[in-house]
């Protein structure tokens, strides 16, 4: 079976982890600050606070901004479910906005149009925008920042999938009031499990350091608990893996982009024939892809797509539908969302397939995947 993803781990990463295992600093040790410094310098932000997962980071951001019960956040339904689940953690609610049909991202224009159309009683409780750099493809962060200033809205960049990508020569993870990366094994770099909060706001940074550590603060070597917090800490074991990965970041980005290029070369004819469509990448973007997703033409529906996925799996090719719309998941439908509320999002979701994608995926395997798809589609 060709796996959907496969982390790029070398002897360097293994040695780094073993080095920590031979110390007495398995957690809350020096590797945490070292890893945070690596990410901080890579993105150009003032503060980076590591945590146990991207979900933990997003929850921390939402709490740090004072988003609470009864508040609303403008966001996307075409995302991993964590981006909206974290709002529910604080009894806030998403206001979903339609995505762009080519980039799969929110646009400032669509978000502004939605915000303006809200009833006054909802508008006055709408506190922010949470946008996603979908599959590593940067959204218009500067446009969202301008929108946030115009309407006094917080801006949160969910760049969990976009480490190494940039737009207008500005790194993903550096936009808005706060942003995040996640480091699950299928991401551009991995710490096994983990995430990191990025911001230029000292107050958010200090809050996050306390919140990830059960609300703890230190005053004159005395431990106090200033607020309700969570155990969202990253361990030094995870951080050491991240440091080793960051030491290879240019190599990892190059390998990932090269795999995408090989895929694109094979699929070019099917793209030109409008049988399949790629995700659109804007000209002012540097794209470090998270996954390789193809979209079937409108001649196919979700039933056909699902059959294609099963046929690919039967041929030893792991693949997956990315993403099921959040507004149609059971615990969101109870808020009144229904099928056909977001036709673009739903159409894209019904026709996308994530193919195997990882740094060391060989051209031989990509050719096999391509030829298998040709046979299934009868081209």
């Amino acid at each position: 079976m060709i796996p959907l993803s496969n982390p790029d781990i070398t002897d360097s990463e293994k040695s780094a982890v073993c080095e920590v295992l031979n110390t007495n600093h398995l957690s809350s040790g020096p590797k945490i600050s070292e890893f945070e410094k690596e990410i901080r310098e890579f993105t150009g932000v003032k503060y980076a606070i590591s945590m146990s997962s991207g979900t933990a980071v997003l929850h921390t951001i939402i709490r740090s901004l004072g988003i609470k019960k009864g508040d609303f956040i403008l966001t996307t339904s075409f995302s991993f479910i964590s981006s909206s689940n974290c709002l529910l953690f604080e009894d806030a609610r998403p206001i979903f906005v339609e995505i762009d049909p080519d980039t799969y991202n929110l646009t400032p224009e669509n978000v502004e149009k939605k915000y303006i159309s809200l009833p006054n009683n909802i508008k006055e409780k709408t506190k922010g925008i949470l946008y996603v750099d979908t599959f590593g493809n940067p959204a218009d962060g500067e446009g969202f920042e301008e929108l946030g200033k115009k309407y006094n809205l917080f801006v949160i960049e969910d760049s969990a999938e976009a480490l190494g990508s940039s737009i207008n020569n500005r790194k993903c993870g550096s936009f808005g009031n706060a942003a995040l990366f996640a480091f699950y094994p299928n991401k551009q770099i991995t710490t096994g499990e983990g995430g990191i909060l990025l911001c230029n706001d000292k107050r958010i940074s200090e809050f996050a350091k306390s919140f990830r550590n059960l609300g703890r603060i230190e005053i004159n070597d005395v431990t106090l608990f200033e607020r309700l917090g969570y155990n969202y800490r990253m361990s030094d074991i995870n951080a050491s893996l991240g440091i080793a990965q960051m030491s290879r970041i240019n190599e990892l980005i190059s390998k990932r982009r090269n795999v995408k290029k090989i895929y694109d070369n094979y699929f070019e004819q099917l793209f030109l024939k409008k049988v399949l469509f790629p995700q659109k990448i804007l000209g002012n973007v540097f794209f470090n892809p998270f996954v390789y997703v193809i979209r079937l033409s409108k001649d196919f529906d979700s039933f056909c797509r699902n059959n294609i996925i099963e046929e690919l799996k039967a041929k030893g090719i792991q693949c997956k539908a990315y993403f099921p719309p959040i507004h149609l998941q059971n615990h969101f439908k109870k808020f009144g969302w229904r099928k056909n509320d977001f036709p673009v999002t739903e159409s894209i979701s019904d026709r996308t397939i994530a193919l195997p994608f990882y740094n060391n995926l060989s051209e031989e395997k990509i050719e096999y995947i391509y030829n298998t798809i040709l046979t299934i589609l009868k081209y």
Side-chain angles (χ1 to χ4, degrees):
M1 177 73 76
I2 304 173
L4 187 61
S5 65
N6 196 13
D8 189 344
I9 302 298
T10 67
D11 288 343
S12 174
E13 284 84 355
K14 294 172 186 176
S15 295
V17 171
C18 288
E19 180 184 330
V20 171
L21 292 175
N22 288 321
T23 72
N24 61 350
H25 292 299
L26 300 190
S27 190
S28 302
K31 293 298 181 182
I32 297 298
S33 58
E34 186 179 342
F35 179 53
E36 291 171 344
K37 181 175 182 287
E38 289 283 344
I39 298 294
R40 190 170 66 244
E41 292 181 349
F42 181 76
T43 54
V45 300
K46 288 183 180 179
Y47 307 105
I49 301 91
S50 59
M51 297 188 190
S52 55
S53 69
T55 302
V57 174
L58 189 51
H59 181 208
T60 301
I61 292 171
I62 289 162
R63 179 70 71 87
S64 76
L65 295 175
I67 296 164
K68 60 187 185 303
K69 184 175 182 178
D71 289 342
F72 293 89
I73 300 293
L74 296 149
T75 191
T76 176
S77 178
F78 191 69
S79 174
F80 188 59
I81 201 162
S82 290
S83 62
S84 288
N85 275 353
C86 291
L87 299 174
L88 303 190
F89 294 170
E90 295 299 315
D91 284 326
R93 297 289 179 266
I95 296 174
F96 293 117
V97 180
E98 190 63 281
I99 59 172
D100 179 85
D102 297 316
T103 66
Y104 312 158
N105 284 327
L106 292 181
T107 65
E109 294 76 18
N110 282 0
V111 171
E112 182 172 30
K113 183 178 178 182
K114 183 74 170 186
Y115 179 75
I116 290 171
S117 72
L118 294 174
N120 285 336
N121 64 320
I122 300 297
K123 188 182 294 183
E124 66 186 17
K125 295 178 182 178
T126 300
K127 304 300 183 183
I129 302 162
L130 195 169
Y131 76 90
V132 178
D133 298 314
T134 309
F135 304 151
N137 187 16
D140 182 3
E142 290 176 348
F144 286 117
E145 287 179 333
E146 291 173 8
L147 204 59
K149 289 176 184 176
K150 183 176 181 180
Y151 295 108
N152 194 29
L153 299 170
F154 295 123
V155 175
I156 302 167
E157 181 190 11
D158 183 344
S159 50
E161 303 167 358
L163 186 144
S165 294
S166 61
I167 182 167
N168 296 326
N169 295 314
R170 187 170 160 191
K171 290 274 193 356
C172 289
S174 68
F175 293 92
N177 296 87
L180 70 131
F181 294 136
F183 306 123
Y184 191 71
N186 62 352
K187 297 297 195 298
Q188 286 91 342
I189 72 162
T190 186
T191 59
E193 288 279 4
I196 201 160
L197 186 154
L198 305 151
C199 69
N200 293 307
D201 186 323
K202 185 176 180 181
R203 185 198 65 79
I204 293 175
S205 169
E206 293 302 316
F207 177 92
K209 289 175 184 177
S210 171
F211 191 69
R212 72 175 175 184
N213 198 17
L214 303 166
R216 177 174 176 161
I217 59 170
E218 300 284 341
I219 299 178
N220 298 325
D221 292 327
V222 176
T223 298
L224 300 173
F225 293 89
E226 188 176 47
R227 57 178 58 84
L228 176 66
Y230 290 75
N231 182 354
Y232 281 165
R233 296 187 303 267
M234 177 184 282
S235 77
D236 278 53
I237 300 168
N238 298 102
S240 67
L241 178 54
I243 293 164
Q245 290 264 282
M246 285 302 294
S247 73
R248 302 172 54 219
I249 187 62
N250 291 331
E251 173 200 345
L252 299 180
I253 290 172
S254 178
K255 289 169 76 172
R256 209 167 186 90
R257 284 166 55 84
N258 187 59
V259 172
K260 179 187 181 300
K261 183 178 179 181
I262 295 169
Y263 258 127
D264 286 346
N265 289 340
Y266 275 95
F267 281 103
E268 182 179 17
Q269 289 305 311
L270 290 180
F271 292 155
L272 291 173
K273 292 177 181 177
K274 308 298 184 185
V275 178
L276 301 177
F277 293 82
Q279 182 183 18
K280 183 178 179 180
I281 311 301
L282 301 178
N284 55 344
V285 158
F286 180 88
F287 182 41
N288 186 25
F290 161 55
V291 287
Y292 193 84
V293 172
I294 55 172
R295 183 174 94 238
L296 299 161
S297 73
K298 290 185 178 179
D299 295 333
F300 301 87
D301 57 19
S302 61
F303 179 77
C304 294
R305 189 273 311 275
N306 294 343
N307 283 341
I308 291 169
I309 288 175
E310 291 308 310
E311 288 190 61
L312 286 168
K313 288 179 179 178
K315 297 291 187 179
I317 301 167
Q318 192 175 42
C319 51
K320 196 170 185 180
Y322 262 41
F323 287 113
I326 294 173
H327 69 279
L328 297 181
Q329 305 312 301
N330 284 337
H331 61 294
F332 283 92
K333 285 196 291 187
K334 68 182 180 183
F335 299 118
W337 305 110
R338 295 291 180 266
K339 193 167 180 59
N340 299 319
D341 281 346
F342 300 96
V344 174
T345 295
E346 293 170 34
S347 176
I348 298 296
S349 178
D350 282 347
R351 295 182 289 117
T352 47
I353 304 173
L355 299 176
F357 186 74
Y358 48 92
N359 293 3
N360 296 314
L361 181 62
S362 68
E363 182 169 355
E364 180 183 10
K365 288 179 179 177
I366 292 172
E367 183 178 18
Y368 172 70
I369 293 165
Y370 172 72
N371 287 330
T372 303
I373 289 173
L374 279 185
T375 300
I376 293 171
L377 296 179
K378 297 179 173 58
Y379 274 89

